[in-house]
Structure formats: structure tokens, C-alpha cells
Amino acid sequence: MARPIQARTPARTHRRRGATKRKTVEYTIRYALLMFVFVLLVGPFIWQFGTSLKGAGESIYTANPFPASPTLANYGMVADTIPVFRYLGNSLVVATSSAILNCVLASLAGYVLARMRFRGRTLVDLVFLATIIIPFEVIMVSVFLTSRSLGLVDSLLGVILPTAVTGLSILIMRTAFMALPREIEEAAMIDGASDWQRFIRVALPSVQGSLVVVAIFAFVFAWDDFLWPLVILKDSANFTLTVGIQYLSGTFTSNQRVVAAGTMIAVIPLLVLFFSLQRWFFRGVGEGGLKG
Amino acid sequence: MKAQYKWLPWLFLTPALIIALVFTIGPFLNTIVLSFTNSTTLGGGTFNGIQNYLDLANSPQFWISTRNTLLYVAVVVPLLMVLPLLLAVLVERNIPLIGFFRSVFYSPVVASMVVVGLIWSWLLSSDGAVNGLLEALHIIQKPLPFLTDTTLLLLSCMLVTVWKGLGYYMVIYLAALGNVPKELHEAAQVDGAGSGRRLWSITLPGVRPTMLLVGLLGSIAAMKVFAEIFVISSGTAGPGGQARSLVYTIREVGLGLSGEIGYASAMSLALFILTIGFSILYLRSQRTDQLR
């Protein structure tokens, strides 16, 4: 195919070949850079994973992160040292509850703010805006006092409730409801649907995408959170995974293999969740009102 | 659509409002009140005017925490404004496998800071991979004390924060890059502008508002640094606690066995004023942007 073209317009082909060459160079540079960043960002996880699989006889200080004879013994030792399945369960309860509560409470509040006019609205707007502006770290000591007077110290409910709805979740749901055409709900109203029916049957099913985004972000935030569980949980039986893994590293600084296995137990379920739902994550970052 | 509602909005809003009032607005107001008292975790406490604020001004611990926190912002924020932008430019083109790279670069964002901190404290330990690599390359003769020297420890935490945040801000920049008109790039290319020149003259002005937003988000996040320092220093904040951040100190003095709630509340408000200060700076810079 190249030959007849070359015969007709040699100069042009020359230019095209130059462009192809430039393209090859550009691609090579791009993929080299991508691989470099890949090693930089994923390497540490792979290294840790490799360490977690190394047996007692294998050096963990050598440059080779991959074990010669992989073993799951370190994972067994995590379970012997701390009640890791209990912690896993605690984290699952906390993260799932936070996800569900955020979806329910934020869609109720978001729908009102997107669709209804009522007295006191400005005040409600201000309250939710304040929850976005006030960092949790600033009020942490006070929230602890509140939780203590409510008898929530050392309970999973105490971990869950302060994160049960965030200003950001409400903002995402409100934006989603505002984007829905009003005509659909008006048609439902003419058909005699009550406010509640319009919310449940018409509006809510149309914002499923945003609900997924709110659920995922609440879940991951609750699963990863460290400071608040560290503050509110006292008895080691009630720890969530992040607090438990930190505790494990405190008691086992000498055995890096076991700590590595512990971190893998905390991160692998989440990475699996992330890779199966990744497109929602990218939407989520966009929908957090962060488009500038 | 009905013009005015009476009780229905409140029915929908009540759950979210209760959470916001009990766990954010109430504690915030309480923090202000408590900051003027000598309350402790044991209860009691009486009004003592601005004594806590005077104590803060005279406390070396407070000034170290503030200095470290501001230092954190000063180092981390410029890096997070620039590096993720370069990363976004790298992954912007739709070339084969780019979706894979994008998601993989996001995985440190999803992992908990506890996991990330434990992985890095292992990599940065005296027999860890980083020291091993530097020694193999003959850059250093003996291991650098990343985890036991105050300055190096702070620097390590900063780099871990940047490492974990790269993917998040990359996605924000990706959205912004999509809004930079392709025609501008094409026109510049025709005029013979190289990729470096185009990055400087077209991409950079195009994403300026996003850079400022990333600066704000990064600043607020960096002001609240806790988990990195706590985990990487194994809960000690380095030798003599010299690598402490504001949140680290707030938790230590406010939630210990004999927590000084009043004093910690005053420190929390200092943190709040700093974060609000950054937000005001951001809004100012946006306004001057619009005037141009």
C-alpha cells in the first residue's frame, strides 16, 4: 500500500513517515512515564503484599518483593493475634450503615431543598452549609462529650451516627433532583400521586446514579476513617479494622510479615470494591461540586 | 407544583437536621463556650475568660503544632497543585490501556491512611526499601533516619500525603482539562508551538480556576493532618513529640485521661480560624480572577 503512494507523492510520504516516527516516540515516552508512575503508586502495595506472603525463612529486606515460596501463614497469625474477623465485621457494619443512612437521609433532605418552598428554608440551607464548612477535627472534642452524654462511647452506633449524613451527600442529592425535569413529577401529580408517592416512585428511581455515588463515598469514608473510631472506641473488642490494624502494628512491630498481612486484610476488600465500581468513583469526584 | 408547603418539608428534613444539629452545630457552639472555661473530661469547669487563649499563646507545644501544620500546608499544597496536573496531562489522551492506568493511579486514594501509613513506615524504616535503594545507588552511605529524625519524619509524612492525594486531584484536573478548548491546542500546534509551550500558554491558563480550587481543598486537608503523623511515628509524633500537628495535639490534650477540654477547645478554634482563613484567601483570589 505504501509503494504506489510513494511513487506519486514522495515528499508527502516523507512527511507522513516523519509524523509516524514522532508518534512512535511520543507513545514510547508516554508509556514509559505511565509505567514509572505505576511503579511509584502501586509498587508499595505490591511490596507489602509480597512481604505478607513471605515465610519466616525468607528475607524481607532483600530488593526482591516477591516470595520464593508464598505462604498464608502470616494471615493466620493475624487472626491469632487480634480478632481480625470481628474487626472486619465491625467495619462492615459501620460502613454499610453509614452508606444506607447517607442515602436515605440525604435523598429526603436533598429532595426538599431541590423541590419545595417553605418558611425557614434559608436557615436550613445555612445549617447544612455549616456542616460542610466546619471540619470534624475542630469539633471532635465536643462531639466526644455529646456522644458520651448520649451513652454512645465504645459502641459502633457512636462511630456511625456522626457520619450518618454529611453536607456533601445532601449537596449531591439536591443537585441530582434539581437536574430532573419538573414535568414528570407534574404529570404524576395530575394523575393523583401524593407527595410521598412522587418522591418514592418518580423522583427517587431517576437519581439512582447519584445514590450509588453517595453510597460508595460514605462506605469508603467510613471504612477508612481512623481518627473518630480511635477517639470513641475504648475496648479493643469493639475496634474497627483501621484501629485494629494500627493496634496490631503496635503490638507486633517486630514481625513485619504479620503487619503486612493485616494491612492487606484491610485494603484488599476495598480495592476489589473500587475496581468493580470505579466509574462511579470518577463520577463521584466530579459530582462533589468540585468541577470548579 | 404547589407553591407553599407547611409540614411536609420538615418531616423529610428532620432526620438529617437532627444529625447536623446534634453532631455538628451543637458541638461547634459548645466548642466556643467551652473554650472560655476550664472544663476537663471529668466534668465541671467554670468560666475563666480568655485564660485558655493566653495559655495557648505561651505554650511551646501549641506553637510547634501550628508551625508544623503551616509547614505542612506550605510543602504539600504546591506539590498537590502541580504534580496531579502533570499526571492528568499524562493520562488525558485516550490511548490503549489508559483506563487501566487511570484507575490504578486512583487506588492510593481509596486505601485508608492507616494502611498507607503502615506500608510507608515499613518502606522508610532503616532497613526498608527506600534506604536500600538509596544505598544501592550510592546516594547515601548509611540509612537515613526517616522515622526518628523530626525534620525527616515530617518530610516523610508530607510525601505520603502527596503520594496518597495525587490520584484524587488528578481526576479533578481531568475534568478541567476536558473544558480547555481543543481548537486552541490545534491552532497553537499549527503555529509550531511544542507541547511544553502549549502546556504553559494554553493548558495552564485554562485550568487556573481549578488550580486555585485544588489549592483550597489541599490546604484544608493539610491543616487537618493527623493519621499520617500518628501512624508513621507509631503514635509518638517523633522524638519528644516534635513532629506534632494541631489535630495531634488537640486529641492528646483534649481526650487523654485527664483531658483539658477547655484548653483543647480553644486550640480547636485556632485551627478553625486558620482553615477559614484559607477559604477567605481562596474566595478573594477568585474574585480578582473574575475582575480580569
Side-chain angles (χ1 to χ4, degrees):
Chain A
M1 192 180 122
R3 195 176 289 167
I5 298 172
Q6 196 175 22
R8 254 181 284 153
T9 53
R12 196 173 180 190
T13 315
H14 183 71
R15 201 186 305 151
R16 192 175 294 165
R17 199 182 290 155
T20 322
K21 200 177 163 194
R22 208 181 307 136
K23 217 167 195 180
T24 319
V25 172
E26 196 211 307
Y27 267 52
T28 315
I29 295 175
R30 254 177 206 272
Y31 280 107
L33 283 171
L34 284 170
M35 278 316 291
F36 173 72
V37 179
F38 178 88
V39 170
L40 214 63
L41 288 181
V42 187
F45 288 110
I46 296 173
W47 193 286
Q48 186 84 340
F49 183 59
T51 306
S52 77
L53 295 176
K54 282 183 173 178
E58 258 183 277
S59 169
I60 50 173
Y61 303 116
T62 58
N64 182 5
F66 302 105
S69 48
T71 166
L72 290 175
N74 300 317
Y75 289 82
M77 275 188 65
V78 175
D80 290 342
T81 316
I82 57 168
V84 71
F85 293 108
R86 200 193 151 100
Y87 295 170
L88 203 65
N90 288 346
S91 279
L92 210 58
V93 168
V94 167
T96 311
S97 314
S98 180
I100 293 172
L101 284 167
N102 267 282
C103 281
V104 174
L105 304 189
S107 47
L108 283 169
Y111 186 70
V112 170
L113 295 175
R115 282 287 191 263
M116 300 181 190
R117 289 176 51 216
F118 58 97
R119 268 173 169 280
R121 209 201 130 101
T122 319
L123 196 65
V124 174
D125 274 337
L126 274 176
V127 166
F128 290 136
L129 183 68
T131 66
I132 296 179
I133 293 172
I134 301 168
F136 180 77
E137 287 77 358
V138 167
I139 53 173
M140 164 180 76
V141 174
S142 245
V143 177
F144 175 77
L145 293 183
T146 305
S147 303
R148 193 173 66 177
S149 57
L150 293 173
L152 295 170
V153 172
D154 218 2
S155 74
L156 292 184
L157 195 62
V159 183
I160 296 163
L161 279 183
T163 62
V165 67
T166 62
L168 189 65
S169 305
I170 295 174
L171 193 68
I172 291 175
M173 291 319 297
R174 172 197 190 158
T175 313
F177 284 121
M178 291 218 311
L180 288 183
R182 275 172 185 270
E183 289 76 20
I184 305 174
E185 281 162 85
E186 276 162 16
M189 196 167 73
I190 292 163
D191 288 348
S194 70
D195 294 305
W196 176 250
Q197 283 170 327
R198 285 208 308 275
F199 170 66
I200 284 287
R201 301 244 172 91
V202 183
L204 210 50
S206 314
V207 294
Q208 279 171 3
S210 294
L211 277 174
V212 173
V213 168
V214 166
I216 294 174
F217 275 80
F219 186 96
V220 172
F221 178 81
W223 183 278
D224 284 347
D225 195 18
F226 176 60
L227 180 57
W228 179 239
L230 183 72
V231 166
I232 193 100
L233 298 176
K234 306 287 175 192
D235 186 351
S236 66
N238 295 325
F239 285 174
T240 55
L241 257 179
T242 50
V243 183
I245 297 302
Q246 159 69 24
Y247 174 68
L248 173 78
S249 106
T251 43
F252 263 81
T253 33
S254 54
N255 197 341
Q256 184 56 36
R257 297 175 182 82
V258 178
V259 176
T263 56
M264 284 301 119
I265 294 174
V267 78
I268 287 173
L270 211 57
L271 288 182
V272 169
L273 182 80
F274 164 62
F275 278 101
S276 47
L277 299 169
Q278 34 158 317
R279 69 192 178 102
W280 301 103
F281 273 87
F282 295 132
R283 249 188 78 183
V285 176
E287 277 183 23
L290 302 179
K291 271 185 180 153
Chain B
M1 200 121 294
K2 270 181 264 181
Q4 196 84 18
Y5 291 85
K6 280 219 173 89
W7 56 271
L8 189 78
W10 297 104
L11 188 72
F12 276 34
L13 284 169
T14 299
L17 270 177
I18 288 177
I19 300 280
L21 291 174
V22 172
F23 290 105
T24 305
I25 309 294
F28 182 68
L29 299 176
N30 201 23
T31 302
I32 299 175
V33 173
L34 286 167
S35 77
F36 296 105
T37 71
N38 58 5
S39 306
T40 64
T41 24
L42 304 171
T46 51
F47 180 78
N48 68 350
I50 58 164
Q51 190 56 47
N52 292 323
Y53 292 93
L54 294 175
D55 289 347
L56 272 188
N58 293 317
S59 154
Q61 209 185 29
F62 170 70
W63 289 114
I64 291 171
S65 314
T66 308
R67 184 203 63 193
N68 287 346
T69 304
L70 291 176
L71 212 59
Y72 217 90
V73 175
V75 175
V76 164
V77 173
L79 289 175
L80 280 181
M81 283 169 85
V82 175
L83 296 178
L85 175 61
L86 298 178
L87 203 55
V89 171
L90 181 66
V91 301
E92 192 200 4
R93 273 276 289 281
N94 279 318
I95 52 179
L97 286 177
I98 201 68
F100 166 77
F101 282 112
R102 276 183 205 156
S103 345
V104 155
F105 292 173
Y106 196 79
S107 46
V109 180
V110 184
S112 165
M113 190 45 97
V114 172
V115 167
V116 166
L118 286 174
I119 292 178
W120 275 100
S121 61
W122 168 234
L123 291 173
L124 292 167
S125 67
S126 52
D127 359 86
V130 174
N131 270 314
L133 186 73
L134 292 176
E135 278 179 295
L137 294 171
H138 298 291
I139 295 173
I140 54 169
Q141 300 304 318
K142 55 175 190 182
L144 290 173
F146 287 114
L147 307 179
T148 45
D149 176 85
T150 302
T151 313
L152 279 178
L153 175 64
L154 264 177
L155 207 64
S156 306
C157 295
M158 290 167 181
L159 290 180
V160 170
T161 307
V162 172
W163 182 85
K164 192 180 187 297
L166 282 175
Y168 183 75
Y169 297 110
M170 173 191 83
V171 176
I172 296 181
Y173 276 128
L174 265 177
L177 286 179
N179 296 330
V180 179
K182 287 235 176 350
E183 297 76 31
L184 283 180
H185 273 285
E186 282 159 12
Q189 203 162 12
V190 170
D191 290 345
S195 45
R197 174 80 202 175
R198 274 180 285 136
L199 179 68
W200 183 259
S201 304
I202 297 172
T203 309
L204 219 52
V207 298
R208 215 184 109 89
T210 310
M211 280 191 102
L212 290 172
L213 179 73
V214 168
L216 172 73
L217 294 173
S219 306
I220 292 177
M223 299 290 300
K224 304 186 292 188
V225 57
F226 168 76
E228 292 90 319
I229 292 175
F230 187 88
V231 174
I232 295 175
S233 71
S234 329
T236 62
Q242 292 283 306
R244 59 182 58 247
S245 67
L246 271 170
V247 176
Y248 185 96
T249 310
I250 290 169
R251 173 181 169 272
E252 190 181 68
V253 302
L255 295 162
L257 282 174
S258 57
E260 300 166 76
I261 300 276
Y263 182 61
S265 298
M267 208 184 306
S268 302
L269 284 174
L271 174 66
F272 181 65
I273 288 162
L274 283 174
T275 51
I276 285 293
F278 275 99
S279 308
I280 291 169
L281 275 180
Y282 166 73
L283 290 174
R284 277 250 173 110
S285 63
Q286 270 228 319
R287 204 174 301 149
T288 45
D289 243 25
Q290 280 163 4
L291 285 176
R292 284 176 186 214

